[in-house]
Amino acid sequence: MNMNDMIVKKRDGGKLSLEEIQFFVDGYTKGQIPDYQASALLMAIYFIGMDKEETYALTAAMRDSGDVADLSAIKGIKVDKHSTGGVGDKTTFIVGPMAAACGVPVAKMSGRGLGFTGGTVDKMESIPGFHTVLEEQEFLDLVNEHGISIIGQTGSIAPADKKIYGLRDVTGTVENLSLITSSIMSKKLASGSDAIVLDVKCGDGAFMETLEEAQRLGQLMVEIGNADGKKTVAVITDMEQPLGQAVGNSLEVIEAMETLKGKGPEDITKLSLTLAGLMIYVGGKAESPEQGQAMAKQSIEDGTALEKMRLFIQGQGGDPRILDDYSLFPQHAFSAEAVSPASGFVQALHAKKVGIASQHTGAGRATKEDSIDMTAGIYLRKKTGDPVEKGEVLATVHGMDEAKVKAGAAELQKAYVIGSQKPRERELVKKIIGL
Ligand code: URA
């Protein structure tokens, strides 16, 4: 097999065989295929696309490029949940404990944040003492004992994706349906759970800006998951503005805790109930997603989801008293406010700009080597549709670096669009695919 022939074939609209795709993934992962040929093939795929068979072959080859987790020691149907990435998305910390409280084991591997979207592992590490690296046996034991454990994804899961994603990121080949699908699904399929609930974000702060694109991505990921024998459903959700009011590591974990206490923002609560309802349904503990949602709601009302959160934190080395005493989180040294330049309504609050402002205050990293300021972040006091007066506080920015906090507040001001008309309300949950 020859890379040059494969590049020309794809460039001219051809279909790659399973063997060719396997050859590319193996060869590139082992360093036998140079970056320039891999880049050319990715660019040909970007323009020509791949059909479902090619996409599945690429996903499977990437899944098998490293370890495939064996979760058979955990009793029950293990359900994973994955978000394609958004701003202020802390739902994992809410739906995990809710699903666990309803009898669905959650054995999840999560990633770190890069760019303007946050990562679950970074957020969890804002809890002092919390470990995201556990021995395999410890991870399995925690799920069997408490119903939930979330660890950092190791380098041995889908190493081909790590290499290929790194190349896509610098060659303008990220935004392709088959490449995104194979990247996300190879990691999900290698993580070992039996069923998957995908939250596909759509809007300004997401890879897919339009509903049509997000639907196509959701549909393809559902087909690939099901082709691999995992029950997969996808929910298309709005990411035009950030989720909830908190953006940034410890701020988001606190908001998740408040939501588990029944005091969370409406959007986060609604999305979490939708996702948890689906997890409980595909996990075989409810007859329908609606019944699953009712069970999830009950787990907040009766405190069982909060109790699961307590056990989850304690099980992974954190101090569970933090649930009742947020002063145990690292505390910021500086804050600054973004104020409204006019009276009227918040017409729009651009998720991506908020994410970038949060990253610049220290909550995110620009390169993998950057360290994170766990106290840095943004508290949004006004969101789309809210009335505002000139000079009123729109949002507060926190962190340890005074200059960055001030610059973050100035940047954040540009994320808000203030106008005289109240905007139409946007639908948060737009579609569910795969039921
Ligand atoms: N997330 C991933 O893991 N891969 C992509 O290609 C896009 C989002």
Side-chain angles (χ1 to χ4, degrees), residues 82-85 161 165 168 174 176 179-181 183-184 187 207:
H82 180 80
S83 153
T84 57
D161 172 61
Y165 190 86
R168 287 168 56 211
V174 168
N176 169 273
L179 295 178
I180 295 178
T181 295
S183 168
I184 293 177
K187 289 173 287 202
F207 280 110

Side-chain angles (χ1 to χ4, degrees), residues 51-341:
D51 69 10
K52 187 179 146 191
E53 229 178 314
E54 290 173 292
T55 309
Y56 183 47
L58 181 59
T59 310
M62 284 162 59
R63 174 199 63 200
D64 296 337
S65 64
D67 294 343
V68 175
D70 176 6
L71 302 183
S72 56
I74 299 170
K75 299 179 276 293
I77 302 173
K78 280 76 67 183
V79 182
D80 199 353
K81 170 249 154 197
H82 180 80
S83 153
T84 57
V87 179
D89 187 356
K90 65 283 290 174
T91 51
T92 294
F93 307 113
I94 306 162
V95 302
M98 283 202 269
C102 296
V104 176
V106 178
K108 188 166 164 48
M109 295 185 194
S110 287
R112 293 193 183 275
L114 187 62
F116 69 87
T117 62
T120 298
V121 168
D122 296 325
K123 292 174 198 179
M124 288 193 297
E125 286 178 352
S126 70
I127 299 172
F130 194 99
H131 308 300
T132 54
V133 180
L134 301 179
E135 292 295 329
E136 187 184 333
Q137 194 55 49
E138 204 181 347
F139 173 59
L140 300 174
D141 289 348
L142 280 174
V143 183
N144 271 329
E145 204 176 327
H146 301 319
I148 178 167
S149 179
I150 304 177
I151 54 172
Q153 190 183 294
T154 66
S156 61
I157 294 286
D161 172 61
K162 199 166 179 202
K163 247 193 123 181
I164 295 173
Y165 190 86
L167 191 61
R168 287 168 56 211
D169 205 21
V170 292
T171 55
T173 51
V174 168
E175 296 89 352
N176 169 273
L177 284 188
S178 291
L179 295 178
I180 295 178
T181 295
S182 57
S183 168
I184 293 177
M185 294 306 285
S186 60
K187 289 173 287 202
K188 292 291 108 186
L189 301 182
S191 301
S193 54
D194 306 304
I196 305 162
V197 174
L198 298 163
D199 180 0
V200 180
K201 302 290 184 197
C202 156
D204 169 72
F207 280 110
M208 298 292 139
E209 295 206 359
T210 68
L211 178 58
E212 291 68 35
E213 283 176 320
Q215 261 176 254
R216 285 175 59 215
L217 178 63
Q219 183 67 38
L220 188 57
M221 290 202 289
V222 164
E223 285 172 7
I224 298 299
N226 286 328
D228 205 60
K230 320 257 183 208
K231 174 72 186 158
T232 306
V233 292
V235 192
I236 313 291
T237 67
D238 191 52
M239 187 32 74
E240 196 67 17
Q241 66 169 338
L243 269 171
Q245 292 178 277
V247 181
N249 302 293
S250 56
L251 288 176
E252 291 193 37
V253 177
I254 292 170
E255 190 167 77
M257 290 173 173
E258 286 293 288
T259 307
L260 286 169
K261 293 174 187 173
K263 297 184 283 187
E266 206 183 310
D267 57 350
I268 281 286
T269 304
K270 180 173 177 187
L271 179 57
S272 300
L273 290 174
T274 304
L275 294 170
L278 285 167
M279 290 172 77
I280 297 163
Y281 170 60
V282 297
K285 297 291 177 189
E287 308 255 299
S288 65
E290 294 73 26
Q291 191 191 7
Q293 252 194 67
M295 289 167 70
K297 191 157 182 260
Q298 180 64 27
S299 77
I300 292 194
E301 284 164 7
D302 63 18
T304 50
L306 189 64
E307 185 51 27
K308 282 290 176 196
M309 182 69 155
R310 200 177 295 280
L311 293 169
F312 167 52
I313 293 172
Q314 191 166 19
Q316 293 189 216
D319 180 349
R321 289 175 309 167
I322 204 163
L323 274 166
D324 311 303
D325 181 1
Y326 300 145
S327 73
L328 296 175
F329 279 98
Q331 301 294 304
H332 62 265
F334 300 99
S335 27
E337 286 168 343
V339 296
S340 182

Side-chain angles (χ1 to χ4, degrees), residues 2-13:
N2 172 315
M3 267 304 277
N4 191 40
D5 293 347
M6 284 166 57
I7 295 166
V8 170
K9 185 179 187 185
K10 188 41 91 182
R11 182 199 67 189
D12 294 345

